[in-house]
Amino acid sequence: KGTDENGEVVESWTSGKEAEDKNADGSAKPHKVKLVAGTYTLSEVTPPTGYDPANPITFTVALDGTVTSTTAGAVDGKKVTMKDALTEREIEISKVSLTGNEELAGAELKITKGSDETGELVESWTSGKEAEDKNEDGSAKPHKVKLVAGTYILKEVSAPFGYLMADSITFTVGLDGTL
C-alpha cells in the first residue's frame, strides 16, 4: 500500500492480482500509480508465501516528477522497487545407519545449492562433532541448517569409520518450507 506524508492511504493493491498488473504470461509486473508532488511511503502489508516482509520505503516526488529516496537502490528513474528476501527455513539433516534410527557421528557432510554438485557451498559439517550437534549424553543428534526456497544437494564427503558413503540426495525446499 502507499501512504502520503499524513499517513493517508493513497492506493492499496496486491501485486500481480489484477489484469493490469500482469504480463502476458501471467507473471506480475510493476503496479503503476499517478502521484502528485509530495512524500510517500510504500509498505508491504502481506508478503508473498515464502518471503519475509520488506522494509517500508519512503520516497519523494518532486514538482518536476523526479523521484528520490533515502533507501539505497529503491529508486531508478520514476520507478520505486521493493525487494523481498526469501524466508530462511530451519531444516534438520539426520545421518543414520541403514539398519537403524540412531544418529551416526563422524560423517563429513556438505550442502550445495543447485541441481549439480558444482553448485555454491551452503554449509559443511561433521555429524556429532560440534556442541550443537550433540545430545547431553554426547551422542550425535540431527544437524540444523537454515535454507531458503530452492534445490540443494546433500553429499557425504567422508563416511564414519566402518561405514560406506551414502549416495547424494537432491532435495527442494518449497516456498512454504516443505521438503
Side-chain angles (χ1 to χ4, degrees):
K1 73 179 177 180
T3 56
D4 64 16
E5 52 210 10
N6 299 318
E8 297 295 321
V9 175
V10 174
E11 187 155 345
S12 182
W13 68 94
T14 300
S15 58
K17 184 177 180 183
E18 302 300 325
E20 66 267 12
D21 294 334
K22 291 182 183 181
N23 293 309
D25 66 0
S27 63
K29 68 179 183 182
H31 181 79
K32 294 183 179 182
V33 179
K34 291 184 180 185
L35 301 171
V36 298
T39 299
Y40 301 90
T41 300
L42 176 62
S43 302
E44 184 169 52
V45 177
T46 305
T49 300
Y51 290 85
D52 291 331
N55 291 324
I57 299 170
T58 298
F59 61 97
T60 301
V61 178
L63 288 173
D64 66 358
T66 59
V67 181
T68 58
S69 176
T70 57
T71 303
V75 174
D76 181 14
K78 294 183 178 186
K79 183 178 178 181
V80 178
T81 302
M82 178 172 274
K83 297 178 182 177
D84 287 349
L86 287 165
T87 301
E88 286 188 334
R89 309 290 185 166
E90 188 170 81
I91 309 295
E92 276 191 0
I93 306 295
S94 188
K95 173 60 181 170
V96 297
S97 71
L98 189 59
T99 58
N101 291 329
E102 185 176 318
E103 289 290 321
L104 294 176
E108 290 181 35
L109 302 161
K110 73 175 184 176
I111 296 175
T112 54
K113 186 155 179 63
S115 56
D116 66 51
E117 294 179 17
T118 62
E120 172 190 348
L121 178 66
V122 175
E123 189 162 340
S124 62
W125 70 98
T126 301
S127 61
K129 181 177 179 183
E130 301 299 326
E132 67 266 12
D133 294 334
K134 291 182 184 180
N135 293 307
E136 288 183 16
D137 66 2
S139 62
K141 69 178 184 179
H143 179 76
K144 294 181 181 179
V145 60
K146 290 188 176 188
L147 302 173
V148 298
T151 300
Y152 299 88
I153 294 180
L154 171 64
K155 179 179 174 75
E156 186 170 31
V157 178
S158 175
F161 181 76
Y163 290 88
L164 297 174
M165 285 201 323
D167 291 336
S168 295
I169 299 170
T170 300
F171 64 99
T172 300
V173 178
L175 285 171
D176 61 358
T178 57
L179 293 177

